[in-house]
Amino acid sequence: AQVLHADVSRLVRYLGLLEDGDARPSVMLARLRRWLDEHPKWLVVLDDAIDPSILSSLSLPSSGSVLITSSFPVSEWEGKCGWENAVELGPYSPLEAHGYVIRCLPDAVPSYVKPLVTALRNLPLSIAIALGFIREFDIKIEK
């Protein structure tokens, strides 16, 4: 819960919603909800979420979407959140992960790809984020 409050705080500050300095978690969450409600088609990503109750505690408006990554089975989330269309995506196979990296970074040295995808447990979102970082900062995969 403390990490979630810190994330909400950062987002509220980034959006400029803390003009009066009231940093109580309940106030910041209410301001975030209001902003989301006023700006439809938003996407909130809850990465590596461990507790389905997080969604009800946030009580986000229905004007946008939530993407949750979690190592917990989708059945736990469906039962506690009442979802009907949750999609469970497993990790890539080692071959899929390697192929994805090579397609995204054609100049990558193949011998460095396996340690990268292994360290990221072949998780598609983790690999995509790492590749985005590598491209954004023009880092060689060897680093």
Side-chain angles (χ1 to χ4, degrees):
Q2 208 166 4
V3 171
L4 181 60
H5 290 306
D7 290 340
V8 168
S9 173
R10 272 193 299 278
L11 187 52
V12 165
R13 291 171 199 280
Y14 176 79
L15 294 171
L17 304 175
L18 197 61
E19 57 279 341
D20 64 359
D22 191 343
R24 290 177 293 163
S26 61
V27 171
M28 288 192 293
L29 188 53
R31 288 179 181 178
L32 178 60
R33 287 179 188 135
R34 185 176 58 245
W35 188 93
L36 291 172
D37 203 34
E38 294 169 356
H39 297 82
K41 298 188 179 181
W42 46 263
L43 172 66
V44 170
V45 178
L46 302 174
D47 188 31
D48 200 22
I50 58 172
D51 184 359
S53 68
I54 191 172
L55 217 46
S56 60
S57 72
L58 286 173
S59 195
L60 299 175
S62 60
S63 57
S65 300
V66 178
L67 172 66
I68 297 174
T69 68
S70 177
S71 57
F72 288 83
V74 94
S75 58
E76 286 190 34
W77 290 88
E78 285 175 325
K80 293 181 180 174
C81 298
W83 292 340
E84 296 177 12
N85 59 351
V87 177
E88 187 162 3
L89 301 174
Y92 284 139
S93 71
L95 186 59
E96 289 170 322
H98 190 274
Y100 177 61
V101 171
I102 295 299
R103 279 191 307 281
C104 293
L105 300 174
D107 295 333
V109 177
S111 61
Y112 288 103
V113 173
K114 184 176 180 181
L116 174 68
V117 297
T118 300
L120 297 171
R121 299 186 337 251
N122 294 330
L123 297 171
L125 184 58
S126 297
I127 295 170
I129 290 169
L131 294 179
F133 184 84
I134 288 167
R135 278 192 257 176
E136 176 74 21
F137 295 101
D138 197 26
I139 299 171
K140 296 289 181 202
I141 199 169
E142 304 85 66
K143 302 284 181 182

